[in-house]
């Protein structure tokens, strides 16, 4: 059973930082592209950031570019999302995802985590 578990969410002040982690199990982690999506209340789920299986190709939504950094540690089967300069509009449930054929923001993961809440206060 493939299982993705997100941790690190919480409440932070605007301008602050938060680091999300996603621990994967039940899959050959090094063969999967990994990414993060988010869904704010009343809005559609949107792509936030992605990293290729090798860790060399990085993709970001325009809204987070320059503020967020995605990375992965294949030895630990873990993907991270470092979020800096957080804004209230970053408030959302953040979901870890795994899949193949990531060519940017338009990809459809095959596995999803249950999500972790990130709240940025103004």
């Amino acid at each position: 059973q493939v299982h993705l578990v997100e941790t690190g969410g919480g409440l932070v002040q605007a301008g602050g930082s938060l680091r999300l982690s996603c621990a994967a199990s039940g899959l050959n982690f090094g063969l999967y592209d990994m990414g993060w999506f988010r869904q704010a209340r009343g809005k559609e789920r949107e792509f936030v950031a992605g990293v290729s299986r090798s860790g060399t190709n990085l993709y970001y939504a325009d809204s987070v570019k320059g503020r967020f950094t995605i990375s992965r540690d294949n030895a630990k089967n873990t993907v991270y999302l470092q979020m800096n300069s957080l804004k209230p509009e970053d408030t959302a449930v953040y979901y870890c995802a795994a899949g193949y054929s990531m060519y940017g923001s338009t990809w459809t993961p095959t596995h999803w985590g249950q999500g972790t809440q990130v709240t940025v206060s103004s």
Side-chain angles (χ1 to χ4, degrees), residues 53-114:
R53 63 184 186 181
S54 67
T56 58
N57 297 322
L58 308 176
Y59 306 95
Y60 298 97
D62 289 341
S63 59
V64 307
K65 194 171 299 181
R67 299 187 298 119
F68 291 10
T69 303
I70 189 171
S71 62
R72 66 190 296 161
D73 187 339
N74 286 357
K76 295 183 177 180
N77 287 4
T78 302
V79 62
Y80 306 95
L81 185 67
Q82 178 66 46
M83 304 183 293
N84 299 326
S85 302
L86 283 162
K87 305 174 181 179
E89 51 262 45
D90 294 318
T91 296
V93 177
Y94 283 71
Y95 298 90
C96 179
Y100 296 123
S101 302
M102 179 188 291
Y103 299 107
S105 61
T106 56
W107 79 302
T108 303
T110 55
H111 301 94
W112 295 85
Q114 295 189 55

Side-chain angles (χ1 to χ4, degrees), residues 10-12 38-41 43 46 68 86-94 117-122:
L11 175 64
V12 297
R38 69 186 182 187
Q39 187 168 21
R41 289 187 178 182
K43 295 188 176 182
E46 65 175 348
F68 291 10
L86 283 162
K87 305 174 181 179
E89 51 262 45
D90 294 318
T91 296
V93 177
Y94 283 71
Q117 177 70 47
V118 172
T119 302
V120 184
S121 62
S122 60

Side-chain angles (χ1 to χ4, degrees), residues 15-62:
S17 298
L18 203 62
R19 185 183 186 233
L20 305 182
S21 298
C22 172
S25 62
L27 53 76
N28 193 336
F29 186 78
L31 296 181
Y32 281 83
D33 299 327
M34 300 294 298
W36 293 89
F37 290 73
R38 69 186 182 187
Q39 187 168 21
R41 289 187 178 182
K43 295 188 176 182
E44 297 180 358
R45 187 172 298 188
E46 65 175 348
F47 174 82
V48 176
V51 56
S52 64
R53 63 184 186 181
S54 67
T56 58
N57 297 322
L58 308 176
Y59 306 95
Y60 298 97
D62 289 341

